[in-house]
Amino acid sequence: MEEAPKGWWQFVRAMPAWLKEKLFIKDQLKKELKEIGDINWKKTKLQFSKHHLSHAACVFFPSPFQKSAILTFDCVGELATASIALGKDNNITTLKEIHFPHSLGLLYSAFTYFLGFKVNSGEYKVMGLAPYGNRESQLVKEYTHKIKEHLIEIYDDGSFTLNQEYFAYATSFKMINESKFEQLFGLKTRKEESTLKKEHYSLAAALQIVTEEVIIKMAKEAKNITNTENLCLSGGVALNCVANGVLEELNLHKNIFVQPAAGDSGGALGAALAYYYMAAKNERKIIFPDAMSYAYLGSSFSNGEIERALANNNLMWNLFDDENLVEFTKNSLLQNKVVGWFQGKMEYGPRALGNRSILGNPLHAETQSKLNLKVKKRESFRPFAPIMLKEEFQKYFGKNYDSPYMLMVHKILEEYRKDFEIDSDNLTDLINKERSEIPAITHVDYSARIQTVTAESNKKIFDLLMAFKKETGIGVLVNTSFNVRSEPIVCTPQDAINCFLNTDIDILVLGNYVVEKA
């Protein structure tokens, strides 16, 4: 009603879905649940969890904290777009909320659209583009000022309001008022696949700066009103690992836990956990380092299933024991070959964490462009994350905590950096610069999205990193998700084989089975 009458046509277009489906969701669920057996609905009730409660539950209950502040940021739930809650024992209490149409997630999505990427899938591209903008440049400072002057008003407690004159999502099926955005920034809405210019990545940098300011202020407010040194982060914006790294660097909270499936994919888990602990009042046991089992919660496949997939595709393979598999893979990586690595249970969440990964040699600067263009078939500016031994995290980044979920970004220590000019109009020139002693995993601002591995978390990857370190002195590899652009991460052996055959991946490792391209 707040946007009436401007939202009339959006209301008219949405009503058929409500009248056919959404008002009858209980009936639809009962129909689908018949697939798993007969249910006595006289004794069984369907219960629903609010969107932000699901986000909060999916991060707090698996966390190692008895008591914690919980920050949730996303586009929008039923009405809430951001919230501060307190988790304690079996309960979650919401303390503050920001409501639609004022949304940090939708602000980020609006710029995702303006910069020529797809909303709800391209936001991480904007985050990856932002470091190419020099934060100290006059252009980035000018864009930051314009965003804060015209688009968003940020208050001391982290709450904010968006100037709806520039946005269209509340009253139509468009994200922004394009003419007002274009007039404000002096830029046309970028067409997808068109050339990225200095203005585009400078604008992405300004957006990231504003996003971090909101998150930091709200994190401070969360600590003030919950009186706890622990912080849990969830919601789609919690996947902004650059902002997460900034929070960690500030030491506002002694401990931070980010749900690896922080987006809406974690909603089902959160709803189940909310019912299990808050409604059914089951005993909650604190598990260290957390209850996510390093996110290896998905499907796994037997040797027989792998062999059948290989045979069905007429592929020749070699079968190695664990020790020789590690030796062979290490030697392949040293030859700068790209390895498709498929092991055990699939990861839960959007990040490949060493079981459905493409691995590369981090010591060659050209690994980034090779993987992007020939294997991933995606934009060349996209960075790659390192998977590393924990002691390498300490050595190269000065950090000594576990980061198993690839959700924190930190900058490599100055002693390992190489000087180059960042303020350039030529994006390709910036991409190909050698930026550190580990060039393939160091982004243009000397940062990297860190994943640490121990023998406990992933024994095979740990052994491979140890072997690579023994040979090179560096226990770090390039790790990116086993998929190509616009495709989901591979799940089954057949998925992995399809990706292998249709890209320039050199080696396919399925369990202990190895296939090489001629």
Side-chain angles (χ1 to χ4, degrees):
M1 294 300 292
E2 184 178 332
E3 301 298 328
K6 291 186 291 183
W8 168 253
W9 285 111
Q10 190 179 33
F11 170 78
V12 169
R13 292 178 64 180
M15 279 308 295
W18 280 93
L19 293 174
K20 290 181 180 179
E21 298 172 10
K22 295 184 180 181
L23 291 177
F24 306 102
I25 193 69
K26 285 188 176 182
D27 292 335
Q28 185 67 25
L29 286 169
K30 289 178 179 180
K31 179 180 176 182
E32 297 295 331
L33 286 169
K34 285 183 179 179
E35 298 286 333
I36 62 173
D38 292 327
I39 297 173
N40 186 342
W41 291 110
K42 291 182 179 180
K43 295 182 178 180
T44 305
K45 290 184 179 181
L46 282 172
Q47 297 207 15
F48 294 86
S49 169
K50 285 188 176 180
H51 189 84
H52 270 229
L53 175 60
S54 295
H55 276 312
C58 86
V59 66
F60 173 65
F61 290 126
S63 79
F65 311 137
Q66 183 178 1
K67 179 182 177 182
S68 177
I70 308 167
L71 268 184
T72 299
F73 293 95
D74 64 359
C75 289
V76 62
E78 295 82 9
L79 187 61
T81 64
S83 61
I84 299 174
L86 174 64
K88 185 177 180 182
D89 299 323
N90 274 44
N91 291 297
I92 293 173
T93 304
T94 300
L95 304 175
K96 280 191 172 185
E97 287 186 341
I98 296 172
H99 290 165
F100 184 85
H102 310 293
S103 166
L104 189 61
L106 286 172
L107 175 70
Y108 215 93
S109 293
F111 277 90
T112 299
Y113 172 82
F114 187 59
L115 289 169
F117 302 108
K118 291 182 179 178
V119 173
N120 294 330
S121 65
E123 284 77 5
Y124 58 92
K125 297 180 184 180
V126 176
M127 184 179 68
L129 184 65
Y132 290 98
N134 183 353
R135 290 192 176 205
E136 300 305 314
S137 71
Q138 187 58 38
L139 185 57
V140 171
K141 290 179 180 179
E142 177 185 326
Y143 284 156
T144 304
H145 175 75
K146 285 184 175 182
I147 293 171
K148 294 173 69 173
E149 183 74 14
H150 296 278
L151 299 184
I152 183 171
E153 185 169 1
I154 306 170
Y155 306 105
D156 289 342
D157 64 353
S159 61
F160 56 89
T161 55
L162 299 185
N163 181 356
Q164 291 301 303
E165 290 182 14
Y166 287 85
F167 301 94
Y169 56 76
T171 57
S172 73
F173 288 90
K174 293 182 178 181
M175 284 304 303
I176 61 174
N177 184 324
E178 288 191 35
S179 62
K180 292 188 78 70
F181 256 72
E182 290 173 351
Q183 184 179 359
L184 178 62
F185 297 110
L187 284 173
K188 288 288 185 183
T189 305
R190 177 177 167 266
K191 302 297 183 184
E192 192 173 5
E193 306 299 340
S194 65
T195 302
L196 283 161
K197 299 178 180 179
K198 184 177 181 179
E199 289 80 5
H200 297 125
Y201 41 90
S202 295
L203 189 56
L207 172 65
Q208 183 64 33
I209 290 168
V210 172
T211 300
E212 290 168 14
E213 181 179 339
V214 172
I215 292 173
I216 289 166
K217 285 186 174 182
M218 195 168 282
K220 289 179 178 178
E221 178 69 4
K223 184 174 182 179
N224 288 338
I225 65 177
T226 61
N227 193 30
T228 172
E229 292 188 323
N230 300 320
L231 177 65
C232 290
L233 296 171
S234 192
V237 181
L239 294 173
N240 191 311
C241 45
V242 178
N244 296 345
V246 171
L247 274 182
E248 198 283 330
E249 295 273 0
L250 288 174
N251 291 316
L252 292 174
H253 295 83
K254 185 176 181 181
N255 305 296
I256 299 176
F257 178 66
V258 187
Q259 166 58 247
D264 286 348
S265 63
L269 171 65
L273 290 173
Y275 176 81
Y276 186 80
Y277 290 114
M278 296 175 68
K281 301 190 181 302
N282 287 290
E283 180 185 1
R284 180 173 175 239
K285 295 179 180 178
I286 304 296
I287 298 175
F288 293 95
D290 58 68
M292 293 299 297
S293 298
Y294 301 102
Y296 302 122
L297 300 171
S299 302
S300 61
F301 299 86
S302 67
N303 286 349
E305 289 172 306
I306 292 172
E307 281 195 19
R308 281 193 293 275
L310 291 169
N312 288 340
N313 289 273
N314 298 315
L315 294 174
M316 301 293 293
W317 70 83
N318 290 307
L319 180 60
F320 293 94
D321 60 27
D322 286 351
E323 184 177 347
N324 285 313
L325 177 69
V326 166
E327 185 69 13
F328 173 85
T329 306
K330 178 259 296 182
N331 289 333
S332 299
L333 291 165
L334 289 171
Q335 295 166 27
N336 210 26
K337 292 183 178 180
V338 177
V339 177
W341 183 261
F342 181 103
Q343 302 291 331
K345 291 185 175 182
M346 186 180 179
E347 300 89 339
Y348 175 64
R351 309 289 186 218
L353 302 173
N355 278 5
R356 300 292 189 275
S357 292
I358 295 173
L359 305 177
N361 188 333
L363 305 179
H364 295 279
E366 66 271 17
T367 298
Q368 179 182 356
S369 56
K370 178 183 178 181
L371 282 173
N372 269 328
L373 299 176
K374 294 187 176 182
V375 177
K376 300 287 284 186
K377 300 181 181 179
R378 68 186 194 182
E379 301 90 346
S380 59
F381 71 83
R382 302 270 294 279
F384 287 102
I387 187 169
M388 63 178 64
L389 300 169
K390 187 177 177 181
E391 57 262 33
E392 307 297 73
F393 194 20
Q394 171 72 44
K395 177 180 178 181
Y396 291 104
F397 295 87
K399 299 294 178 180
N400 191 33
Y401 67 90
D402 290 308
S403 181
Y405 300 125
M406 203 186 289
L407 286 167
M408 294 285 182
V409 163
H410 293 289
K411 292 188 177 182
I412 198 165
L413 297 175
E414 289 192 14
E415 61 200 270
Y416 301 107
R417 300 179 188 179
K418 295 186 178 181
D419 291 332
F420 71 101
E421 180 60 49
I422 184 174
D423 202 8
S424 172
D425 291 324
N426 190 327
L427 188 62
T428 303
D429 182 54
L430 288 173
I431 292 166
N432 293 327
K433 293 288 187 182
E434 193 166 296
R435 299 180 279 269
S436 80
E437 291 184 14
I438 324 174
I441 58 88
T442 309
H443 205 3
V444 69
D445 62 345
Y446 299 112
S447 68
R449 188 177 68 206
I450 307 298
Q451 181 192 357
T452 58
V453 174
T454 63
E456 179 188 16
S457 64
N458 193 320
K459 183 65 164 60
K460 270 191 177 176
I461 280 283
F462 176 82
D463 289 344
L464 179 58
L465 287 165
M466 290 293 289
F468 194 81
K469 181 174 183 177
K470 184 177 180 181
E471 196 77 34
T472 65
I474 299 176
V476 180
L477 292 172
V478 173
N479 173 28
T480 186
S481 56
F482 199 157
N483 68 320
V484 296
R485 181 185 183 185
S486 301
E487 292 286 338
I489 299 174
V490 301
C491 176
T492 68
Q494 185 60 56
D495 294 338
I497 290 168
N498 291 342
C499 189
F500 171 66
L501 294 176
N502 289 288
T503 64
D504 286 350
I505 295 174
D506 301 298
I507 308 289
L508 175 62
V509 179
L510 293 169
N512 285 45
Y513 295 82
V514 174
V515 182
E516 296 183 73
K517 280 183 179 164

